[in-house]
Amino acid sequence: MGCSIQTPIVFFLWLAMATTTLALGQGTRVGFYSKSCPRAESIIQSTVKAHFQSNPTVAPGLLRMHFHDCFVRGCDASILIDGPSTEKAAGPNRLLRGYEVIDDAKNQLEAACPGVVSCADILALAARDSVVLTNGPRWAVPTGRRDGRVSLASDTNNLPAFNDSMDVQKRKFADQGLTTQDLVTLVGGHTIGTSACQFFSYRLYNFNSTGAADPSIDPAFLPQLQALCPQNGDGTKRVGLDNGSANKFDASFFTNLRNGRGMLESDQKLWTDDSTKYFVQRFLGIRGLLGLSFNVEFGKSMVKMSNIKVKTGSKGEIRKVCSAIN
Ligand SMILES: *[C@@H]1O[C@H](CO)[C@@H](O)[C@H](O)[C@H]1NC(C)=O
Ligand SMILES: *[C@@H]1O[C@H](CO)[C@@H](O)[C@H](O)[C@H]1NC(C)=O
Ligand SMILES: *[C@@H]1O[C@H](CO)[C@@H](O)[C@H](O)[C@H]1NC(C)=O
């Protein structure tokens, strides 16, 4: 099928998106492929949807993968490169999922428009499509990223960790040009997805050598968590990060934080630290504070994040296969 075929629906969508976000990126723009590969966005969307229907865990997987890509060497698909000591092999990335979705989309795009669509853009669009599929907002994704040629496991230390203090989390986001509000908003992406017990069970028993659980956990919630994650269990069992609503993109994650029902220590700290609690309260619509729409802010912060250190123009390359440099 040729690349010049443009259905009226795609064109209309493109127009609608183009009016909402323009020129926010450093060289990326909404509709970058509208002439060179007009079906690019619809091919990615239908591929993500097909995989999501047989395996819903790809949605949080792809969102997280994009985040982990952008924080390391910018959004340049360095996360996708195979190798014994690439980013993909590093501890924080070992449990990422959804690589097969990116590969499937890339194969189809190479058949439709060879050498045109970058893996970095596929990932940025797939993350957006994943949010839409879980009932979250749609935002226009500026495109035109090119793929990086370097991927080192040792670069992944700047990824936020489940046990980082709030100061460390804020510094890691600030290093990427992201504000405290962006931090709260993007961590709110934990409204979908799960965590393995191994990343929070230390909070449930002898937290910080106190002989008791982390006091910030809701006492009524603690026995549920202990039942799911026994003290000497294998730690691989997965638990929803947004209790009661782990498959749906919504603001209930923040309600859970207010109620002491955050799974990860780094998540629950959004409520115990005053500078981040302020934004959580605004997402919750607490009286007396200027309300913030999680859906609107999430799209804005995602556009900012997905423009971190992007390679455009003649920088980088368009990979032929997403798992290897050309
Ligand atoms: C977080 O956990 C990791 C691995 O379990 C550990 O190596 C690291 O020291 C911890 N960091 C903090 C700040 O406690
Ligand atoms: C852990 O215990 C140390 C020493 O008692 C204390 O300084 C620190 O703030 C505690 N950390 C947390 C997360 O409660
Ligand atoms: C979370 O919420 C559900 C209700 O949807 C409940 O059955 C479950 O036990 C809760 N707790 C945990 C730790 O997931």
Side-chain angles (χ1 to χ4, degrees):
M1 213 180 295
C3 286
S4 54
I5 297 168
Q6 187 164 12
T7 69
I9 288 172
V10 170
F11 181 66
F12 190 77
L13 264 180
W14 180 81
L15 262 187
M17 292 189 297
T19 54
T20 53
T21 316
L22 268 178
L24 277 174
Q26 309 138 332
T28 56
R29 61 183 169 85
V30 172
F32 182 82
Y33 298 111
S34 61
K35 290 202 171 64
S36 58
C37 191
R39 291 178 54 241
E41 297 207 14
S42 63
I43 287 173
I44 294 164
Q45 185 186 0
S46 61
T47 306
V48 175
K49 187 175 180 185
H51 284 266
F52 174 78
Q53 282 169 347
S54 59
N55 176 11
T57 70
V58 301
L62 291 167
L63 181 57
R64 183 152 181 260
M65 190 187 290
H66 180 45
F67 177 77
H68 282 209
D69 182 37
C70 292
F71 265 63
V72 183
R73 292 187 173 264
C75 313
D76 69 345
S78 51
I79 186 88
L80 301 176
I81 296 173
D82 278 337
S85 53
T86 59
E87 289 172 32
K88 200 179 204 174
N93 291 331
R94 238 170 254 146
L95 296 176
L96 285 183
R97 36 184 152 191
Y99 294 106
E100 71 284 4
V101 184
I102 303 298
D103 291 340
D104 187 356
K106 180 62 170 174
N107 284 340
Q108 295 180 55
L109 289 164
E110 286 301 296
C113 329
V116 171
V117 182
S118 68
C119 298
D121 278 342
I122 297 174
L123 190 43
L125 290 162
R128 188 274 313 272
D129 294 339
S130 296
V131 170
V132 173
L133 283 165
T134 49
N135 292 305
R138 166 177 288 276
W139 63 92
V141 179
T143 45
R145 293 168 192 76
R146 291 168 65 87
D147 299 323
R149 297 177 52 83
V150 177
S151 178
L152 299 170
S154 53
D155 283 339
T156 59
N157 294 335
N158 55 356
L159 283 168
F162 60 92
N163 55 352
D164 278 343
S165 69
M166 198 41 77
D167 283 345
V168 170
Q169 291 189 64
K170 283 198 276 193
R171 178 180 53 72
K172 285 177 174 178
F173 276 74
D175 286 349
Q176 306 289 350
L178 298 170
T179 63
T180 300
Q181 183 179 330
D182 293 319
L183 183 161
V184 176
T185 307
L186 293 169
V187 172
H190 285 168
T191 174
I192 52 172
T194 56
S195 167
C197 289
Q198 60 184 298
F199 300 113
F200 62 86
S201 56
Y202 68 95
R203 301 179 64 209
L204 310 180
Y205 301 98
N206 186 19
F207 178 66
N208 202 17
S209 310
T210 57
D214 182 341
S216 64
I217 301 174
D218 171 9
F221 192 49
L222 182 61
Q224 290 181 31
L225 288 173
Q226 289 173 329
L228 287 166
C229 307
Q231 188 155 20
N232 298 307
D234 71 1
T236 60
K237 177 153 187 173
R238 301 195 74 94
V239 178
L241 287 166
D242 179 14
N243 183 246
S245 175
N247 301 318
K248 189 162 184 273
F249 193 101
D250 56 21
S252 67
F253 173 73
F254 297 116
T255 310
N256 273 322
L257 296 186
R258 182 186 62 197
N259 295 336
R261 292 176 171 234
M263 300 296 155
L264 303 181
E265 188 184 356
S266 55
D267 287 355
Q268 190 57 51
K269 280 186 176 138
L270 293 180
W271 185 253
T272 50
D273 181 278
D274 284 340
S275 67
T276 49
K277 181 178 185 177
Y278 169 70
F279 292 105
V280 177
Q281 288 179 313
R282 290 180 64 185
F283 282 130
L284 289 173
I286 301 280
R287 217 147 54 109
L289 293 178
L290 189 62
L292 279 175
S293 156
F294 178 48
N295 277 357
V296 171
E297 298 306 320
F298 193 77
K300 286 194 214 163
S301 290
M302 283 297 287
V303 168
K304 262 176 94 172
M305 186 193 80
S306 69
N307 274 315
I308 294 171
K309 294 182 208 139
V310 287
K311 297 171 175 66
T312 55
S314 56
K315 297 193 193 118
E317 63 183 19
I318 303 296
R319 263 178 234 154
K320 292 190 176 72
V321 172
C322 289
S323 57
I325 61 172
N326 289 345

